[in-house]
Amino acid sequence: MSRRALTLLVAGFLVLALGITGAVINVPYVVLRPGPTENTIGEVDKKPVISIDGRKTYPTSGMLSLVTVSYQGGPAARPDLLTALRGWVDPTSAVVPEDSIFPRTQTAEEVEQENTAEMTNSQDNATAAALTEMKIHYTMVPTVLSVEKSAPASGKLKPADEIRAVDGSAVSTVEEVSAAVKARKPGDEIAFSVSRNGQEESVTVKAAASKQGTAMVGIVMQAKYKFPFKVTINVGDVGGPSAGMMFALGIIDKLTPGQITGGKAIAGTGTITPEGKVGAIGGIAQKMVGARDAGATVFLTPADNCAEAMKAAPDGLRLVKADTLHGAVQALDAIRTGKGEVPACTAG
């Protein structure tokens, strides 16, 4: 056998061995790819993504699409080495360490549950932000989410209790309840007025000392919104908080005459607070690719993601900076009418 033939044979065996090794060795990475998009003013599974009952709505057109990232991998289904290598060379994908998606302190199931909870909170925050933008009044009630075992409140306060007052003073936010408790001293008895299953009750809890030495009763709270009409959001198994801004825009579009999109295909991403502040998200590069593939020409981008987005924006996608819901609405008005300034992403 000639030296050239022997070299080719050895090289072939090495390539085969590397291929087999790469196909059977799993690596602790997650491959991120562009995920599906959903038009928030459209339908999914023949049902409206956003349904509003108890308030007049108006016809809409165009697209206000939320964008997602799909992933392959996780502690229970790690990708093989070849899959990871393909992800590294694919410009539309990203390969990240497994624990950046699945913290070592959480199981995959716990991460999924957290994503589902974040999506639910995102929908509530989006409704609150939309109503805030439209100056429609709503209220919030601090509500007990959970009670720590062996804490002073255990057996006294219960999940779903709506806290109306602390020591006789009315409260309307989680922060007010927390401040009222911390204003007391460990060992003090604190009186809570709560609504439980529609019944008003008084509960007294003896405060203990926190690690910081302040008074605590051992409850986790969340704000429960009381809206003047019902908003239902249907997005299937999409999780996480990053669709908040697009939900809020969809709600506004349905509640106001005319079309906020001007008939254009708009996509975007960003978390939202009840006050309308837009927050940064992850996977911006993959989300932009998904948006462009779905036909979007304008992409609403959280201000804190602009620098990263500019480095990976696909051709034909206009990046519009959005740091608040109000700013996003104004930008869409300017795009639709051709009047006014449209804030663009910058590298700074």
Side-chain angles (χ1 to χ4, degrees):
M1 182 180 297
S2 68
R3 176 177 293 181
R4 184 166 183 265
L6 180 60
T7 300
L8 290 173
L9 181 63
V10 171
F13 275 121
L14 288 174
V15 170
L16 178 62
L18 287 173
I20 293 173
T21 300
V24 298
I25 293 180
N26 296 328
V27 292
Y29 288 90
V30 174
V31 182
L32 305 180
R33 297 189 176 93
T37 63
E38 295 290 355
N39 181 12
T40 61
I41 53 175
E43 295 185 342
V44 58
D45 297 331
K46 298 182 179 179
K47 295 181 180 179
V49 173
I50 297 174
S51 300
I52 299 174
D53 296 317
R55 185 89 174 189
K56 184 177 181 180
T57 58
Y58 299 86
T60 60
S61 68
M63 295 169 55
L64 278 172
S65 296
L66 64 86
V67 287
T68 64
V69 174
S70 63
Y71 67 84
Q72 180 180 357
R78 286 175 171 171
D80 58 59
L81 181 59
L82 289 180
T83 298
L85 290 174
R86 285 195 294 268
W88 265 308
V89 300
D90 181 357
T92 67
S93 300
V95 181
V96 299
E98 181 181 89
D99 56 11
S100 68
I101 306 295
F102 300 93
R104 297 182 186 278
T105 56
Q106 291 179 292
T107 65
E109 291 76 15
E110 288 172 336
V111 171
E112 292 293 340
Q113 290 172 359
E114 184 176 299
N115 284 340
T116 299
E118 286 180 338
M119 172 57 80
T120 300
N121 290 337
S122 174
Q123 294 171 5
D124 288 341
N125 287 346
T127 303
L131 269 58
T132 297
E133 174 67 18
M134 298 180 69
K135 295 180 171 55
I136 298 174
H137 180 70
Y138 65 91
T139 59
M140 290 187 296
V141 179
T143 304
V144 177
L145 181 63
S146 63
V147 182
E148 298 175 16
K149 293 181 179 179
S150 303
S154 181
K156 296 182 178 181
L157 291 173
K158 299 181 179 181
D161 280 354
E162 297 179 1
I163 302 176
R164 306 291 188 178
V166 179
D167 288 332
S169 297
V171 290
S172 59
T173 67
V174 168
E175 291 75 17
E176 287 177 352
V177 176
S178 180
V181 171
K182 290 181 179 179
R184 304 300 300 276
K185 297 178 181 178
D188 286 350
E189 290 192 341
I190 303 176
F192 293 87
S193 298
V194 304
S195 176
R196 179 180 298 165
N197 299 322
Q199 301 293 320
E200 299 297 321
E201 298 194 20
S202 295
V203 179
T204 300
V205 180
K206 186 175 183 179
S210 68
K211 291 180 180 179
Q212 293 75 32
T214 57
M216 57 83 71
V217 295
I219 59 175
V220 176
M221 295 174 289
Q222 67 176 5
K224 182 177 180 180
Y225 295 99
K226 302 283 188 178
F227 298 123
F229 48 86
K230 185 177 181 181
V231 178
T232 304
I233 298 178
N234 166 45
V235 287
D237 60 357
V238 175
S242 65
M245 176 176 63
M246 301 311 294
F247 287 143
L249 289 170
I251 293 168
I252 291 172
D253 198 14
K254 289 203 164 193
L255 289 174
T256 52
Q259 290 78 41
I260 198 173
T261 65
K264 296 181 181 294
I266 311 291
T269 187
T271 63
I272 198 77
T273 68
E275 298 76 26
K277 182 174 175 56
V278 176
I281 51 81
I284 189 73
Q286 289 71 45
K287 290 178 177 178
M288 290 189 298
V289 171
R292 192 68 190 95
D293 288 347
T297 56
V298 174
F299 191 82
L300 297 171
T301 312
D304 289 341
N305 285 119
C306 271
E308 179 186 1
M310 289 185 65
K311 297 175 183 177
D315 292 339
L317 193 64
R318 180 183 184 181
L319 302 187
V320 175
K321 182 174 69 173
D323 52 7
T324 65
L325 178 61
H326 184 68
V329 170
Q330 287 187 318
L332 292 179
D333 285 344
I335 291 171
R336 184 182 67 255
T337 63
K339 300 176 181 179
E341 181 181 354
V342 180
C345 276
T346 60

